[in-house]
């Protein structure tokens, strides 16, 4: 019987695998990507496209899941459109096989089996034979963790052997950051074999016992950096065997990361070579006033036949080149790939005053495929944007300002985000990572208070960042080559990686900080620096100052050709190589400010925990690091910072995960009719676990406490205690229930003075129709597309769970629900006999605006299908009594009273929430009874967009065309009319900054 069962199970599994392989082959015949990936245990992304596609892909935000292929435990497999693209210019090619870099892989040929005494005359057989039809070849991106899998019991006969990638395709390129990324070229047959061997057979372990995270088919752009050129500058390889101890493996990873840094620098240098070294009209004196050097002349000849770039010709008096500069010469002479974004046509002209050189920068030859091509007759989009007006004390900003972090590495991005969250004033800014595709789209420009750039940037993105700065933006460069784009006369010299230096800035002198692997200087101070430590010990004087002569004034042109004069200052310096480490550049015309740091202000000491000496020194400097970072933000970049330094109280060491401003949950309260409360508690009884009857959810644990129950300790931040028989002191149940006229919505309430997010209470739980969660404050509020939601004290916030039948009128139009909720929030005021005078309106699809241009609220709607029922979780918030970060309703009432000499009463929190719930239930009843016409009439009377002219794209990445908004369709998508009279339905392109920018006509199902 067991044999029969086993045979049946084996047959079903084989059938399933064959079906998956057939579907993969079908999708690969179309312009699609196949992605198999793993999630953290216990998590579920719902096949979110941003999780399905790698963050390395340039068009990740455009991805749509078109088919689900695999779903077992935490493993996912799906089809994505459009095909995902990957820029590999900063990647590194594989050395000749066999090799141990970046991991252990075998020779390209199989060794024939012969007797010890016989000589083999058999020709070597290739390890893998791909299809001879090159058009059938595909490229795969594989991502793996860098910590090796360990076997607790040692090798055994039953132990699964790691999958050797060289057995399934040709190794192309690699890069390393927080994880290892590898590219291989293969065909459909070997791709399916690889998927069967790994995901479909649950063997997620590749070369060197590395845990496999992802396999994704991609389209490549560019060529990787040749390993042979970079290897010349790699210190003697620490790896000398296949098996490594834990310490030797860490050293091996350091070697790999050093190579990755060199690859990024070689990419950047190739661009800068073209950008800055063009023959000048006349020779001018050097930047250094104290050196009497001969004039030098540079040439850059673009060869029409092979597109190679000649090495710069310098006079005999030029300084000798360091090994890294020799390497740069080699890189610069390699043929430029056809996909290179660099052209020899000069666009930006940069010059300094009197004793200065002239520098020319170049424009990208063509934007990347993921960036829309501009119409020849249309002006560049940036040109039409006026100088940004930034009023740092204004409460009338149209939206809470964003602080964006762009980084070429996950580690750098996470470190910077963690430090900013510590330092920024609470409830003023939203902090987001800015991804490559988002940077190209430019929707972020107008609502950004600060752009933080870490690491390398591509030429096309660098030009966008420069223009943002020249139009009045604030930029902070942390160990980034963005400096080259703003101040192209600053050159690079290599120093030791992870070097501790003595850094001085303002009142903070000789602070031990970690320096970037490259330092910057006004050319040509030095071409290289000593790699020994004598220089740092030559002088013990505390008053040592660097002999730096830097240009104080420069001129640079933006993308529209307007000239900007920059004032440049040195704010700080390091003493090891005597170079400027903190620079300030101000645009005198627009007020734009850029600060460039070559010390790692973003780095937490925990990142160097494996190096005991550096870890201890950095821990001692941690408080000073945060003080310097906060001072730069506040003094030079007009960013409001919190007084967190005092709160640290010397406890700065340790972990980025620790939230120094974290909150302790206070007791929440379960309000409503006792019969209804115990009906819900009985339903939730099956979800309780443990002796304490705690209800666990992925984000939050709940404990309903009766009269005789003991509430969790106050320091237990993982459990929210909810008192069943008590009432809060800071929430008037009388005011709330006296104004509430509903039958279901809001009749049961969980009121929480402070909570991570009210959505955490209702997500992943089937409660009852109409239950509401009312938080007074939130610490982790989440908006649409996982955006941050600022939740200051005074904001009226709620979460609501609705249960809707799929057979009902609204059940067949669920996407329309967010518009009904938004209309209800606005109409609760617009239909009120007292407050209808307030100018409150809707911005499609789910934002609430005051006076037509100031965002004061928004909402999020998540839906889960459970049989024939939809569980809809709604989160909403509107500024009621908080003047920051924009404006609030009670401020508007006060202003109206002052203008009209009226005496409208201020709105109470409890009354306002009750009014919203009354209107939600009323509108839902109308729609469920089939009266959609009345809803549409109301909706159009409340929104901002009647006859508004916008720009849309008929197909992704095509030129924009004007269209007039005429309404929404039955599902809530925007309906527009083209100039030719044709009507189209459009949807957002996935950007998180402005839903009305980048609208497209959807072409993918």
């Amino acid at each position: 019987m067991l044999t029969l069962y086993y045979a049946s199970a084996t047959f079903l599994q084989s059938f399933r695998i064959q079906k998956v392989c057939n579907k993969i082959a079908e999708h690969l015949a179309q312009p699609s990507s196949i992605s198999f990936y793993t999630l953290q245990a216990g998590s579920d992304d719902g096949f979110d496209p941003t999780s399905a596609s790698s963050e390395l892909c340039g068009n990740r935000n455009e991805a749509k899941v078109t088919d689900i292929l695999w779903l077992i435990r935490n493993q996912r497999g799906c089809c994505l459109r459009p095909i995902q693209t990957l820029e590999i210019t900063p990647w590194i090619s594989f050395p000749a096989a066999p090799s141990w870099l970046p991991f252990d892989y075998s020779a390209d040929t199989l060794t024939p089996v012969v007797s010890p005494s016989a000589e083999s005359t058999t020709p070597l057989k290739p390890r893998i034979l791909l299809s001879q039809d090159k058009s059938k070849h595909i490229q795969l991106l594989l991502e793996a963790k860098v910590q090796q899998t360990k076997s607790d019991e040692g090798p055994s006969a039953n132990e699964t052997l790691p999958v050797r990638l060289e057995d399934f395709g040709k190794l192309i390129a690699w890069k390393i950051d927080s994880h290892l990324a590898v590219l291989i070229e293969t065909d459909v047959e070997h791709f399916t074999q690889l998927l069967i061997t790994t995901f479909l057979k649950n063997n997620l372990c590749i070369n060197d016992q590395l845990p496999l995270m992802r396999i994704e088919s991609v389209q490549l752009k560019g060529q990787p950096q040749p390993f042979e050129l970079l290897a010349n500058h790699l210190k003697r390889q620490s790896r000398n065997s296949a098996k490594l101890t834990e310490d030797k493996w860490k050293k091996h990873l350091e070697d790999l990361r050093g190579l990755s840094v060199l690859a990024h620098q070689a990419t950047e240098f190739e661009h800068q070579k073209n950008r800055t070294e063009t023959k000048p009209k006349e020779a001018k004196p050097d930047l250094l006033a104290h050196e009497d050097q001969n004039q030098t002349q540079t040439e850059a000849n673009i060869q029409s036949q092979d597109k190679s770039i000649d090495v710069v010709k310098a006079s005999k008096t030029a300084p000798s080149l360091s090994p890294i500069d020799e390497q740069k010469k080699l890189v610069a002479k390699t043929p430029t790939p056809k996909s290179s974004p660099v052209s020899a046509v000069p666009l930006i002209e940069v010059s300094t005053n009197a004793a200065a050189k002239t520098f020319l920068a170049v424009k990208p030859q063509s934007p990347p495929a993921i960036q829309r091509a501009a119409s020849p007759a249309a002006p560049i989009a940036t040109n039409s944007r006026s100088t940004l007006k930034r009023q740092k004390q204004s409460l009338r900003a149209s939206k809470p300002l964003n602080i964006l972090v762009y980084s070429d590495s996950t580690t750098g991005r996470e470190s910077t985000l963690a430090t900013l969250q510590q330092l920024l004033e609470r409830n003023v800014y939203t902090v987001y990572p800015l991804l490559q595709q988002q940077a190209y789209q430019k929707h972020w420009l107008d609502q950004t208070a600060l752009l933080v750039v870490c690491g390398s940037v591509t030429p096309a993105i660098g030009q966008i960042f420069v223009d943002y700065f020249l139009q009045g933006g604030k930029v902070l460069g942390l160990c980034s080559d963005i400096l080259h784009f703003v101040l192209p006369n600053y050159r690079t010299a290599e120093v030791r990686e992870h070097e501790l230096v003595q850094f001085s800035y303002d009142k903070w002198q000789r602070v031990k900080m970690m320096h970037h692997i490259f330092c910057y200087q006004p050319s040509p101070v030095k071409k290289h620096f000593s790699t020994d430590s004598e220089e740092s010990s030559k002088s013990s004087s505390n008053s040592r100052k660097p002999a730096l002569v830097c240009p104080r004034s420069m001129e640079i042109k933006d993308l529209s050709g307007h000239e900007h004069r920059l004032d440049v200052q040195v704010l700080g310096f390091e003493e090891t190589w005597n170079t400027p480490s903190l620079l300030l550049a101000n645009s005198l015309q627009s007020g734009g400010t850029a600060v460039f740091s070559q010390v790692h202000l973003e780095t937490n000491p925990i990142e160097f925990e494996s190096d005991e000496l550096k870890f201890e020194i950095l821990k001692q400097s941690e408080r000073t690091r945060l003080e310097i970072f906060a001072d730069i933000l506040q003094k030079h970049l007009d960013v409001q910072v919190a007084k967190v330094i005092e709160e640290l109280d010397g406890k700065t060491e340790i972990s980025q995960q620790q939230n120094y401003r974290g909150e302790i949950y206070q007791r929440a309260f379960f309000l409503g009719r006792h019969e209804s409360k115990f009906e819900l508690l009985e339903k939730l009884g099956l979800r309780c676990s443990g002796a304490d009857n705690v209800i666990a959810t992925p984000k939050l644990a709940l404990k309903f406490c009766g009269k005789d129950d003991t509430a969790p300790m106050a320091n237990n931040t993982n459990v929210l205690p909810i008192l069943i028989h008590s009432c809060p002191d800071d929430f008037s149940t009388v005011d709330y229930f006296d104004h509430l006229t509903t039958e279901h919505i809001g009749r049961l309430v969980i009121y929480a003075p402070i909570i991570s997010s009210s959505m955490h209470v209702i997500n992943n739980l089937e409660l009852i129709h109409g239950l509401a969660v009312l938080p007074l404050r939130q610490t982790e509020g989440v908006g649409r597309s996982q955006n941050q939601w600022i939740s200051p004290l005074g904001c009226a916030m709620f979460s609501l769970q609705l249960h809707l039948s799929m057979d009902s009128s609204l059940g067949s139009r669920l996407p329309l629900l967010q518009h009904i909720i938004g209309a209800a929030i606005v109409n609760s005021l617009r239909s009120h006999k007292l407050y209808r005078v307030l100018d409150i309106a809707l911005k499609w699809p789910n934002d609430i605006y005051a006076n037509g241009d100031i965002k004061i609220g928004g909402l999020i709607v998540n839906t889960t299908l459970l049989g024939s029922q939809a569980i809809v979780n709604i989160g909403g918030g509107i500024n009621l009594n908080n003047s920051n970060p924009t404006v609030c309703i009670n401020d508007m009432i006060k202003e109206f009273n002052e203008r009209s000499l009226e005496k409208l009463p201020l709105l109470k929190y409890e009354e306002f929430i009750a009014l919203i719930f009354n209107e939600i239930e009323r509108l839902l009843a109308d729609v469920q009874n089939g009266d959609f016409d009345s809803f549409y009439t109301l909706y159009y009377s409340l929104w901002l967009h009647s006859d508004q002219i916008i720009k849309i794209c008929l197909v992704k990445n095509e030129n924009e065309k004007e269209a007039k908004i005429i309404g929404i369709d039955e599902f809530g998508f925007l309906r527009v009319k083209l100039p030719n009279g044709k009507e189209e339905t459009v949807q957002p392109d996935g950007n998180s900054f402005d839903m009305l920018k980048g609208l497209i006509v959807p072409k993918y199902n």
Side-chain angles (χ1 to χ4, degrees):
M1 192 68 181
L2 290 174
T3 303
L4 179 61
Y5 173 79
Y6 177 77
S8 300
T10 303
F11 173 77
L12 289 174
Q13 179 70 352
S14 300
F15 174 77
R16 186 182 184 192
I17 290 175
Q18 185 60 47
K19 186 177 179 181
V20 171
C21 292
N22 291 340
K23 292 180 75 173
I24 289 172
E26 292 175 9
H27 287 302
L28 288 175
Q30 305 170 12
S32 306
S33 284
I34 301 296
S35 178
F36 278 67
Y37 59 102
T38 61
L39 299 172
Q40 290 185 354
S43 61
D44 185 7
D45 66 341
F47 283 95
D48 182 356
T50 57
S51 298
S53 181
S54 169
E55 68 174 16
L56 298 175
C57 295
N59 58 340
R60 177 193 190 197
N61 280 1
E62 300 178 24
K64 306 291 183 185
V65 175
T66 59
D67 196 2
I68 295 176
L69 304 174
W70 192 253
L71 175 58
I72 288 185
R73 295 179 295 275
N74 66 327
Q75 299 174 17
R76 304 289 185 268
C78 62
C79 175
L80 299 170
R81 288 191 180 182
I83 188 169
Q84 298 297 280
T85 59
L86 192 63
E87 172 62 57
I88 65 169
T89 307
W91 290 52
I92 305 170
S93 67
F94 276 84
S99 177
W100 291 321
L101 288 175
F103 49 64
D104 176 26
Y105 59 96
S106 306
D108 297 332
T109 56
L110 298 174
T111 305
V113 179
V114 297
S115 63
S117 59
E119 293 186 4
S120 172
T121 58
T122 306
L124 296 179
K125 182 180 179 181
R127 177 171 293 276
I128 180 174
L129 289 174
L130 300 180
S131 170
Q132 294 184 355
D133 186 354
K134 294 277 188 178
S135 64
K136 294 183 179 180
H137 287 195
I138 55 178
Q139 288 74 41
L140 300 182
L141 166 65
L142 298 95
E143 293 178 304
K145 297 179 181 178
V146 295
Q147 301 303 323
Q148 295 175 298
T149 302
K150 295 182 180 179
S151 176
D152 296 333
E153 300 177 0
S156 67
N158 297 325
E159 184 178 342
T160 304
L161 295 176
V163 176
R164 308 282 298 189
L165 297 185
E166 64 269 28
D167 292 338
F168 296 91
K170 177 184 177 182
L171 302 176
I172 300 176
W174 62 274
K175 70 173 295 185
I176 190 170
D177 183 24
S178 57
H179 57 268
L180 177 68
V182 177
L183 289 169
I184 70 172
E185 182 174 334
T186 186
D187 52 25
V188 176
E189 178 185 355
H190 288 89
F191 179 24
T192 53
Q193 289 177 4
L194 177 61
L195 287 177
I196 291 172
T197 309
T198 54
F199 280 88
L200 276 59
K201 292 188 176 180
N202 196 31
N203 180 18
L204 302 181
C205 184
I206 62 171
N207 307 53
D208 275 340
Q209 298 288 346
L210 299 179
L212 181 63
M213 302 163 55
R214 176 188 308 276
I215 302 177
E216 181 176 359
S217 61
V218 293
Q219 188 176 62
L220 304 184
K221 301 167 70 175
Q223 296 292 331
Q225 297 298 320
F227 170 82
E228 293 75 15
L229 296 181
L230 301 176
N232 294 332
H233 306 283
L234 179 67
K235 300 173 185 177
R236 189 168 63 88
Q237 297 181 20
S238 59
R239 183 169 189 175
N240 53 17
S241 64
K243 299 290 185 179
L244 296 178
T245 64
E246 184 174 347
D247 289 340
K248 287 187 176 181
W249 178 254
K250 289 181 179 179
K251 186 65 176 70
H252 174 60
L253 292 179
E254 290 181 9
D255 290 346
L256 298 183
R257 291 192 172 101
L259 271 176
S260 255
V261 171
L262 284 175
H264 275 283
Q265 186 63 14
T267 304
E268 178 269 330
F269 180 82
E270 185 173 351
H271 168 64
Q272 293 300 323
K273 181 83 169 179
N274 294 336
R275 194 169 179 259
T276 62
E277 295 186 347
T278 304
K279 183 178 179 179
K281 295 180 180 178
E282 60 177 317
K284 295 186 178 182
D286 196 84
L287 288 171
L288 290 178
H290 64 280
E291 290 187 22
D292 184 16
Q293 298 187 356
N294 296 331
Q295 296 178 348
T296 63
Q297 185 176 11
T298 62
E299 294 184 9
N301 300 323
I302 308 299
Q303 303 290 342
S304 60
Q305 295 179 352
D306 59 4
K307 305 293 183 183
S308 63
I309 303 173
D310 285 348
V311 178
V312 179
K313 298 177 181 179
S315 67
K316 294 181 180 180
T317 59
S320 60
L321 296 180
S322 68
I324 187 64
D325 289 307
E326 293 290 349
Q327 179 261 336
K328 291 173 182 176
K329 289 174 61 178
L330 291 173
V331 172
K333 291 191 67 174
T334 58
T336 304
K338 293 182 179 179
S339 61
S340 172
V342 179
S343 165
V345 182
L347 172 69
I348 302 177
E349 183 174 336
V350 184
S351 62
T352 59
N353 285 351
K357 289 185 177 180
T358 298
F359 297 88
L360 294 177
V362 300
K363 176 184 180 180
Q365 189 172 24
S366 62
I370 56 177
Q371 186 180 12
R372 293 188 188 90
S375 171
I380 298 175
T382 311
N383 300 355
S384 61
R385 181 166 56 86
S386 59
T387 299
L388 298 174
K389 297 179 180 179
R390 304 185 181 275
Q391 301 171 339
K392 58 183 177 180
Q393 300 301 330
S394 173
L395 301 183
R396 294 286 183 169
S398 64
K399 294 175 67 176
L401 289 174
N402 301 323
I403 291 181
L404 305 182
V405 177
Y406 181 91
S407 176
D408 64 343
S409 72
T410 303
T411 303
R413 179 166 60 244
E414 291 177 352
S415 297
T416 306
L417 289 171
T419 302
L420 288 172
Q421 293 289 5
Q422 284 183 250
L423 298 178
L424 296 175
E425 182 65 55
R426 185 183 302 176
N427 297 324
V428 176
Y429 305 99
T430 49
V431 185
Y432 298 122
L434 180 67
L435 304 180
Q436 187 179 68
Q437 172 65 13
Q438 295 172 322
Y440 281 125
Q441 290 174 328
K442 304 181 184 179
H443 302 318
W444 53 274
L445 294 170
D446 295 328
Q447 288 298 325
T448 299
L450 174 67
L451 171 65
V452 183
V453 185
C454 308
S456 300
V457 296
T458 64
I461 290 181
Q463 297 289 1
I464 295 173
F465 290 170
V466 170
D467 200 60
Y468 165 74
F469 157 64
L470 294 178
Q471 300 299 334
K474 310 293 184 185
V475 177
L476 172 60
L478 296 175
C479 299
S480 171
D481 56 14
I482 185 66
L483 175 66
H484 282 314
F485 295 91
V486 180
L487 305 175
N489 56 323
Y490 274 70
R491 300 304 176 91
T492 302
E494 183 187 14
V495 295
R496 281 191 299 268
E497 186 179 12
H498 298 154
E499 178 72 4
L500 275 171
V501 299
Q502 291 194 123
F503 169 70
S504 296
Y505 159 72
D506 202 87
K507 67 180 181 181
W508 297 276
Q509 298 293 309
R510 303 174 69 85
V511 181
K512 289 286 188 178
M513 301 282 284
M514 194 64 66
H515 198 278
H516 188 32
I517 190 172
F518 300 104
C519 63
Y520 291 103
Q521 53 179 337
S523 176
V525 176
K526 291 183 180 180
K527 292 296 182 183
H528 64 282
F529 291 94
S530 170
T531 56
D532 298 321
S533 58
E534 291 91 1
E535 291 189 36
S536 60
S537 60
K538 284 181 180 178
S539 173
S540 59
S541 172
N542 290 336
S543 61
R544 177 187 176 189
K545 298 291 183 181
L548 299 173
V549 179
C550 299
R552 284 300 307 267
S553 180
M554 296 182 59
E555 291 181 354
I556 187 172
K557 292 180 180 179
D558 60 27
L559 291 176
S560 59
H562 298 136
E563 194 170 84
H564 297 258
R565 183 177 294 275
L566 306 183
D567 178 71
V568 183
Q569 302 177 42
V570 175
L571 298 178
F573 60 92
E574 55 78 27
E575 299 185 12
T576 303
W577 298 287
N578 198 22
T579 61
S581 291
L582 198 63
L583 292 169
L584 171 68
N586 288 306
S587 171
L588 302 181
Q589 280 86 346
S590 67
T593 302
V595 174
F596 309 99
S597 173
Q598 285 307 108
V599 292
H600 284 286
L601 295 173
E602 79 286 0
T603 300
N604 190 293
I606 194 68
E607 296 182 30
F608 292 91
E609 192 173 16
S610 59
D611 188 324
E612 185 176 349
L613 178 61
K614 289 180 180 177
F615 182 53
E616 289 300 322
I617 293 175
L618 291 174
K619 279 170 56 179
Q620 296 172 14
S621 303
E622 174 68 350
R623 184 187 185 91
T624 305
R625 175 183 77 92
L626 295 175
E627 289 177 348
I628 293 174
F629 204 147
D631 188 77
I632 292 170
L633 291 173
Q634 187 171 38
K635 182 184 295 184
H636 301 291
L637 297 169
D638 296 333
V639 172
Q640 299 179 45
V641 297
K643 296 180 180 179
V644 297
I645 305 300
E646 291 80 357
E647 296 178 15
L648 296 181
D649 194 25
K651 301 176 181 178
T652 56
E653 72 251 52
I654 335 271
S655 171
Q656 294 182 21
Q657 284 70 41
Q658 181 177 354
N659 182 3
Y660 294 106
R661 294 183 289 170
E663 303 287 354
I664 302 297
Y665 292 152
Q666 300 175 16
R667 295 176 178 181
F669 300 87
F670 197 14
L671 310 176
R673 294 175 61 248
H674 282 284
E675 295 83 354
S676 301
K677 288 195 284 187
F678 285 102
E679 180 183 343
L680 175 59
L681 292 175
E682 184 178 356
K683 183 178 181 180
L684 291 174
L686 296 176
R687 288 295 303 267
C688 293
S689 61
D692 293 332
N693 292 322
V694 172
I695 300 173
T697 69
K699 296 287 187 178
L700 183 67
L702 312 175
K703 178 175 173 56
F704 288 88
C705 304
K707 293 180 180 179
D708 299 327
D709 293 329
T710 302
M713 298 295 292
N715 62 353
N716 188 344
T717 59
N718 296 320
V719 180
L720 176 68
I722 304 174
L723 306 186
I724 301 174
H725 300 286
S726 302
C727 290
D729 295 328
D730 54 355
F731 180 87
S732 173
T733 54
V734 174
D735 284 345
Y736 174 73
F737 285 108
D738 280 354
H739 286 91
L740 191 69
T741 62
T742 64
E743 183 178 354
H744 298 287
I745 294 180
R747 282 294 165 186
L748 270 186
V749 171
I750 296 175
Y751 170 75
I754 185 167
I755 195 174
S756 56
S757 170
S758 57
M759 294 294 284
H760 292 167
V761 178
I762 60 176
N763 285 340
N764 302 290
L765 287 177
E766 182 188 355
L767 302 169
I768 63 170
H769 176 66
L771 180 129
V773 181
L774 304 181
L776 195 62
R777 288 179 56 200
Q778 294 186 125
T779 60
E780 300 175 24
V782 178
R784 176 180 51 82
S785 301
Q786 298 300 307
N787 288 344
Q788 294 178 39
W789 177 261
I790 294 180
S791 308
L793 191 64
C795 180
M797 298 169 286
F798 66 89
S799 286
L800 197 63
Q801 186 171 104
L802 304 181
H803 295 185
L804 302 175
S805 171
M806 295 299 294
D807 298 329
S808 65
S809 298
L810 187 56
S812 59
R813 301 186 186 184
L814 283 177
L816 195 63
L817 185 58
Q818 66 173 325
H819 305 287
I820 295 174
I821 303 300
I825 296 174
V826 173
N827 202 47
S828 65
L829 295 173
R830 290 276 290 270
S831 64
H832 197 282
K833 62 181 180 180
L834 295 179
Y835 304 113
R836 64 181 59 184
V837 295
L838 301 179
D839 185 3
I840 308 291
L842 284 168
K843 179 182 177 182
W844 183 88
N846 50 17
D847 286 339
I848 301 167
Y849 271 61
N851 303 321
D853 61 353
I854 304 174
K855 181 177 178 179
I856 62 171
L859 59 110
I860 178 177
V861 178
N862 297 324
T863 302
T864 302
L865 298 183
L866 192 63
S868 62
Q869 192 177 57
I871 308 297
V872 184
N873 294 325
I874 301 163
I878 184 169
N879 295 347
L880 174 64
N881 203 34
N882 54 296
S883 299
N884 284 325
T886 56
V887 73
C888 67
I889 291 172
N890 279 336
D891 280 351
M892 297 175 68
I893 294 174
K894 293 175 185 177
E895 291 175 5
F896 174 80
N897 288 340
E898 291 176 1
R899 292 196 312 267
S900 62
L901 302 180
E902 297 284 345
K903 295 184 179 180
L904 293 185
L906 299 181
L907 264 172
K908 293 183 179 180
Y909 170 66
E910 297 87 347
E911 176 186 355
F912 183 41
I913 292 292
L915 292 176
I916 291 174
F917 289 167
N918 294 341
E919 190 64 11
I920 289 176
E921 186 162 286
R922 185 187 73 81
L923 288 183
L924 283 177
D926 288 348
V927 171
Q928 289 289 53
N929 289 329
D931 189 3
F932 285 93
D933 291 339
S934 295
F935 165 70
Y936 284 119
T937 301
L938 172 66
Y939 184 79
Y940 294 142
S941 71
L942 300 175
W943 81 337
L944 296 168
H945 309 301
S946 296
D947 296 328
Q948 181 181 350
I949 303 298
I950 60 173
K951 292 183 178 181
I952 69 169
C953 288
L954 296 180
V955 180
K956 200 82 173 193
N957 298 325
E958 283 195 355
N959 295 337
E960 293 181 333
K961 295 185 179 181
E962 287 192 346
K964 182 169 73 173
I965 296 177
I966 57 177
I968 58 175
D969 67 7
E970 60 180 343
F971 298 105
F973 289 114
L974 210 58
R975 291 170 49 232
V976 300
K977 179 180 287 187
L978 301 177
N980 61 9
K982 183 180 179 182
E983 292 187 9
E984 292 281 5
T985 298
V986 297
Q987 67 183 30
D989 66 349
N991 82 82
S992 301
F993 302 100
D994 194 335
M995 296 284 278
L996 281 178
K997 292 182 179 179
L999 290 168
I1000 60 169
V1001 177
K1003 296 297 181 184
Y1004 299 115
N1005 295 325

